Structures are given as C-alpha cells and as structure tokens.
Amino acid sequence: MSTLKHKGKGPQALTANELREGYSVWLTQDMTWSRDFKDALITEDQDQIDAMQAQGAKDDKANLVVGVYFIDIDAKSGQPARYRETFRMNGPSWDTAADVIAKDPTAKQSATAKKD
Amino acid sequence: MYRYDEFDTQVVKERVDQFRTQVERRLDGRLSENQFKPLRLMNGLYLQLHAYMLRVAVPYGTMNSDQMRKLAHIADKYDRGYGHITTRQNMQFNWPELTDVPDILEELAEVEMHGFQTSGNCIRNVTSDPYAGATADEIEDPRPTAELLRQWSTLHPEFAFLPRKFKIAVTGSKTDRALIRAHDIGIEIVKNDKGDIGYHILVGGGLGRTPILGQTLREFLPRIELLPYLEATLRVYNRYGRRDNKYKARIKILVQETGIDEFREQVAQEYKQLKPLDITVSQEEIERITAYFSNPDFDETAGDDETFRKELLGNRAFSLWYENNAAPHKQDGYVIANISLKPQQKAPGDITSEQMRIVADLADDFSFSQLRTTHQQNIILPHVKKSDLPALFKRLQDAGLAADNIGLITDIICCPGMDFCALATARSIPVSQAISKRFEDPERQRIIGEMSIKISGCINACGHHHVGNIGILGLEKAGVEFYQVKLGGDSSENAAIGTVTGPGFSQDELVDGIERMVDFYIEKRKAGERFVDAVNRLGVPAFKEVLYV
Ligand code: SF4
C-alpha cells in the first residue's frame, strides 16, 4: 500500500474519508473530493502527484477529510490494484439497506447517493 | 430487569455532553484525528471501510422493548434502516455520520444505552448466557454477577488502558452458551460439596490469531471474593502483559509465557496486597442487585395448553419451528423462544428497523417486555407462555422472522467481513449466503441435525471460526479471495479449537467441499451422533479426504 508520502508504484490515485460523513472519497482532476471513484484523478506524473499530496495534506488540515493516502492503480484496468481498495470503490456487495429501500423507498438513505 | 441507578444516568449523560464538544472540536480542528480517535473509540465509534460504524453496548445481551424501539428509531433516523447484532451480543450501525453521533448518543442515553466498552483496550462489555434467568438448567442466574462486573468495570480508571482489550463472559449453567473458554476471563457459577455457590474462574482464553482455550485459575472462588480477585488478576495483567507487541498483548499470551501455576501465584500475591483496599461487595449489595433480576410475574397455572398442543399436531410449520427454536424453561408452561436472524439470502445478524419494532411488540405482548441478543447473532424472547406460541409464530411468519433453523447448518455465525470491515482480508457474508442456499431444504437441514458453521473475514476471528464444527477463514492473495477450513471446533462446555485442513478454496469449491463432508458424515454417522462427534471419532484426515477430492 502506498501512503500520503507516495511510495507506490505506477499510476496513483489519492483517497480518504470525509471527516463529517465518513464516506470514502477520491481526489478529482479539479482537486476536489468525489464519492465516486469514476471521478478520481489517476496519474503517474510526478508534478501532479506532488500537487495531489499537497492538496491532501491541506484538506486534512482543513478538517475536510481524514486518513488521506495514495493507492496504486492497475495501469491496464484503471482500477485499484489492491483488493481492499476495489471494495472501497464498489461499496459492500451486500447491504441490508437494499431490503429496506425495497420496502420503503422514502427511507433515509443518505449514503446510497455515493455509490450510484 | 436491571435499571440504571442515578450514578449511571449521570455518567452517561455527562459522556454525551463531553462527546458533543469533542466532535465540535474535531470538526473545527482544535482536536487532530490522532487526538480524537481514542475519544470516539471510547464511545464505540469506529471508522470502517466505507463509513463510520457505531457499536452500541447491550450489557450481557439483555434489552427491553423500549430500548429495541429506540434502536429502530436510530436506524431509521440516522442510519440506513437496519442494525447488525455482533458476536459479542452488541448492536452496530454501519452508516452513521459523525455530525449525528452526539444526537444518537443522547437518544440512546434516554433509554440507558451507550457505546462504552465496545472498543479500546479496556474491559469490554460483559457477555453472558442469553438463556439466563429462564433456563431450567442453571445453578444460578448469571445476570446479577454480570451486572456486578458491569458496575465494577465501567470506566474503571485503573483498567482504561490495559495492554489490550479484555473480554469477560459469565454463565450460570453447566451447558455453556456464553463461550466462556474463549474469553480472557470466563466465569462459571458453580456449587461446591457444601452447597455453597461460588465461581470457577478460567483465564487466558481467546480466539484471534492465536486461539487458546482458557485454563482454570481458581476451581472454586467464594462469591464474596469475586471483585477483589478479578482486580488482582487484572493488575497482574496490567503490569506484566506485553505492550511491546500488539499480537502478544492479550492475557492469553501472558498466561502461556508465565505458566498457569506461576500466574496463579502472582495473582495470589497481588490479592494479599489488595486486602487493605477491600472492594468486596457486601451481601446486602448483592441482594439489592439480584432483586432487579427477580422472576417476572409468571402465570403459575400455565401448563401444557390445549390450543398449543392442537397447533403442534395440526400445523407442521409451527411444530418444526417449535422443535428447533424453543428451549425448555424453568417455569412450567413456558419456553424460551429463539428468533432466528438467519433467513435465506440475508446477512446473518442483520435486522431491519421494522423487524426491531415487531420484535419489541412481541416482547411486550408475550415476554414481559424482555429481549436478549445472542453471540450466535439471533434474538431471544426469554419467557413465552406455551399458549401464546401459536400467535407468536404467526406474527413472526408475517415479519419474515420465522426461520426454524436454530442450531442447524444454516444458523451460521458470520462477521461483516470485507463488505464492511476495514480489517478484513475477504468477504464472509456471501459465503454464508452460498452455504445457506446449498442447504436451503429444511428437511435436509433436519437430517443433518445440530451443526455449527462459523465464518471470519480475517485472522481476528470475530466470526469465531476456530470453534466452529466447520470454521471458515477468509483470506486473499493477489486480488482473489480464498477460504481456509478448520474442522472439529466446538464452542460448548466441551470447547475445542478446530484443526486446519490444508490449502484454501475458492467460494464455489468450498461449498462443494462442505457438501461432500456433510454427505460423508451422514453416511458414516452412528445413531444420534452429531457432526462434531463424528469428526472426533473418525478423525480430521477422514473428512479431509472428501474435502480435497
Ligand atoms: S474477523 Fe476480521 S473481518 Fe471479521 S469483523 Fe473481525 S476484524 Fe473484521
């Protein structure tokens, strides 16, 4: 696993969790955070990686995100290299919340928006 | 039921206020994450794989209907409409937002609940026999002892930063439903030759990456000595437990490295020193606590009711449910009713808010408003009159809660695994679903009989796989999940750690392999022989042969 210090190999993305809501987020091209991995900035360019690192440290300090770290991205698939990170990207493969929504579509589902 | 005293109420309220300001300070940056993390963990708030997770303590698995309704309300208002019962009898929510947590804790405090002792290196929430105070086979109700331990251990200043977490379980029966041999300290209430009631104390049990069964620390500890003796034991652990290596920090390693005799001697020495401090609880105090757990107002005239017997004969679904899900009660005309949270294609231990409310209503209507959670991740109505069972069963059916598989192959213990847990190496919920699907035929489940499958998503073993008749450990290599199998584990009073069979399997291979072992068992078993007995008689190698074809 790579860290905020960027020790990874190949293409990198920067991930964290939102401090307030807690959901997994990835840094985007315009240096904001998205709950959708599809928006993640993936790069091997050292200048960009430096900029990402600086942004991560800044947003951590500004109490927007928590636990910022770089992840290795598989160059071929464009997906996270580590199995665990693919889970953070996809969300749970089983969530009882789906049952709850099926019964009552108005149920509070604030978090569902992130993985749609 | 026990009710919080003024002290508890005040402490819980103060902690909510404290946490509210801690969250405020975290959000505006006055607290860093490093400073805040231990504070949130002290209130049961974790940051998991996808979101925060809040674990609510259910002391020794006992709850009343109002508390269950409050949990339902929290699930709806602040989470995603469901909760999950853990293997330590607690309830956890997978999706709370940090900004809501102070309000959640405030709402929990209204019904005397909180998240203390559900995290961190303290004495964790004490667990116990979910049949306590109801079962016919107990020497004494373990709840007053568990409550005494709760009061002693809650926010105990000396034991807030132990080398590692510390788990205590208490049982009052010979039949162990609390897994006492897999706890840091296991307590069995016993009676000596003179007829005095005391405690058999076990120490150094635990699962995790180094599974060890507890050893006897004291064969018979007089009742009055319980707290001072545990205090001495914890002091020895606090002093000598290894803080240099997280994986060697549990008391089980200390006891192993020291040797049980030497460890016992160290405790005895500490105990002597402790005398002047004397935290012995008086007989009056014990009686005061015990009074909270007195029997509810049982109907002494309740017997084998006519309607119940008719239903048993005429309604096959009901009789099958009764056979598996009802356990004998100490009071004539009553049973303990198990509500399975393992229906087909659901995550073991999950319960929706709607089901929580239904279960709360059922507790009000049929079980003196009392509920229990079990380490098998099910729910219990402890005192149900037989004559009420047909009506109860009907309402369970309507709520999708009438699965009749308690103790059978589909009553699987399963941790959240990679679907939710930040520490996981593989998923466990889909594996449990695949096994349930393969063995979905209720008739087949009954033919197989009593059997336990337990699944953990990593070496931490929250799914108790070491003590499953079949234990499954999820691992991952190069992005592919695989599952290691253990055989012959037992979580009862005959506790045993299973034996690893060999290389792991893919999920599909695993389910096929389990099926072959089950078929082999059915072919070879003697009359009345359970799966685990057959493994013990025939040996693991015989089962391995059919597992690895
Ligand atoms: S066993 Fe591992 S994956 Fe499962 S809940 Fe425990 S820590 Fe998480």
Side-chain angles (χ1 to χ4, degrees), chain A residues 19-20 22-24 63 66 83-84 87-88 92-97 99-100 103 108 110-112 114, chain B residues 26 29 33 49-52 76-77 79-80 82 97-98 345-347 350 354 419 422 427 433 476 481:
Chain A
L19 175 65
R20 301 176 77 87
Y23 306 136
S24 311
N63 311 305
V66 57
Y83 182 67
R84 176 184 193 274
F87 263 91
R88 286 184 73 246
S93 62
W94 174 270
D95 187 4
T96 297
D99 276 17
V100 178
K103 279 206 147 179
K108 178 184 159 82
S110 56
T112 48
K114 79 171 188 151
Chain B
R26 175 69 189 102
E33 186 59 18
L49 198 59
H50 312 291
Y52 290 105
D76 281 342
K77 185 168 174 192
D79 210 87
R80 287 181 164 197
Y82 72 97
E97 297 179 7
L98 176 59
Q345 300 300 300
K346 305 279 178 201
D350 277 11
E354 189 190 357
D419 281 306
R427 284 176 297 169
Q433 290 172 333
E476 176 249 342
E481 290 166 318

Side-chain angles (χ1 to χ4, degrees), chain B residues 136-342:
Chain B
D137 71 1
E138 79 191 356
I139 292 168
E140 182 183 90
D141 184 345
R143 289 174 302 168
T145 297
E147 172 53 26
L148 191 63
L149 294 173
R150 184 192 73 78
Q151 294 188 14
W152 164 71
S153 64
T154 300
L155 310 178
H156 192 306
E158 194 175 325
F159 304 137
F161 298 100
L162 291 166
R164 199 76 180 86
K165 57 186 164 186
F166 202 92
K167 300 175 181 176
I168 302 179
V170 194
T171 179
S173 303
K174 268 275 160 236
T175 309
D176 182 8
R177 286 171 289 259
L179 205 56
I180 58 168
R181 279 160 188 80
H183 280 75
D184 295 283
I185 283 189
I187 301 176
E188 180 191 3
I189 298 175
V190 288
K191 204 183 250 182
N192 68 8
D193 296 344
K194 286 193 225 139
D196 297 331
I197 289 193
Y199 302 108
H200 173 205
I201 308 285
L202 294 142
V203 71
L207 300 175
R209 66 179 60 216
T210 319
I212 299 176
L213 295 177
Q215 305 180 64
T216 296
L217 184 59
R218 283 287 292 270
E219 203 66 62
F220 185 87
L221 180 73
R223 190 201 285 280
I224 207 79
E225 293 182 38
L226 182 67
L227 290 190
Y229 193 77
L230 292 190
E231 182 101 2
T233 309
L234 264 293
R235 281 187 176 191
V236 170
Y237 170 54
N238 212 8
R239 188 180 319 144
Y240 298 122
R242 292 184 55 174
R243 292 175 189 265
D244 61 319
N245 182 341
K246 187 179 166 192
Y247 303 119
K248 299 200 170 191
R250 295 288 288 267
I251 196 173
K252 60 189 173 187
I253 305 293
L254 178 66
V255 172
Q256 262 211 338
E257 288 182 351
T258 314
I260 185 71
D261 294 332
E262 172 61 20
F263 183 80
R264 189 181 297 115
E265 184 51 34
Q266 288 174 353
V267 174
Q269 289 305 324
E270 184 62 40
Y271 185 77
K272 271 192 213 152
Q273 314 238 344
L274 196 77
K275 273 274 161 78
L277 266 179
D278 206 353
I279 52 159
T280 309
V281 175
S282 68
Q283 188 56 33
E284 295 81 71
E285 180 60 8
I286 291 175
E287 278 163 18
R288 190 186 73 85
I289 291 177
T290 305
Y292 282 119
F293 300 98
S294 53
N295 281 337
D297 208 1
F298 291 130
D299 175 359
E300 303 285 340
T301 66
D304 238 6
D305 173 81
E306 176 80 8
T307 352
F308 161 71
R309 264 184 287 129
K310 260 198 195 147
E311 196 72 5
L312 213 49
L313 289 174
N315 181 345
R316 179 149 168 77
F318 173 70
S319 70
L320 290 176
W321 178 86
Y322 176 75
E323 189 184 292
N324 264 311
N325 291 36
H329 199 283
K330 65 181 179 184
Q331 178 70 33
D332 229 21
Y334 283 77
V335 296
I336 300 164
N338 284 273
I339 300 174
S340 167
L341 296 182
K342 319 287 173 65

Side-chain angles (χ1 to χ4, degrees), chain B residues 344-376:
Chain B
Q344 271 295 309
Q345 300 300 300
K346 305 279 178 201
D350 277 11
I351 176 165
T352 67
S353 54
E354 189 190 357
Q355 290 175 326
M356 289 183 214
R357 287 194 184 89
I358 290 167
V359 162
D361 290 346
L362 294 174
D364 280 343
D365 294 348
F366 302 123
S367 187
F368 303 94
S369 303
Q370 293 188 29
L371 289 158
R372 308 276 167 81
T373 50
T374 77
H375 81 259
Q376 289 92 346

Side-chain angles (χ1 to χ4, degrees), chain B residues 512-531:
Chain B
D512 290 343
I514 290 175
E515 189 167 36
R516 284 194 300 275
M517 288 198 294
V518 167
D519 290 345
F520 176 72
Y521 150 68
I522 289 173
E523 187 195 319
K524 299 287 178 196
R525 72 181 166 191
K526 292 182 172 172
E529 192 176 48
R530 300 169 308 161
F531 179 85

Side-chain angles (χ1 to χ4, degrees), chain B residues 4-14 151 154-155:
Chain B
Y4 271 20
D5 58 23
E6 280 164 33
F7 173 74
D8 287 303
T9 309
Q10 191 190 336
V11 168
V12 173
K13 200 185 157 317
E14 281 171 9
Q151 294 188 14
T154 300
L155 310 178

Side-chain angles (χ1 to χ4, degrees), chain B residues 48 55 92 414-418 420-426 428 455-465 473:
Chain B
Q48 285 287 21
R55 189 176 291 154
Q92 65 192 36
C414 175
C415 81
M418 185 66 100
F420 294 97
C421 179
L423 302 173
T425 41
S428 40
I455 311 173
S456 303
C458 82
I459 195 77
N460 288 322
C462 306
H464 299 176
H465 68 279
L473 168 63

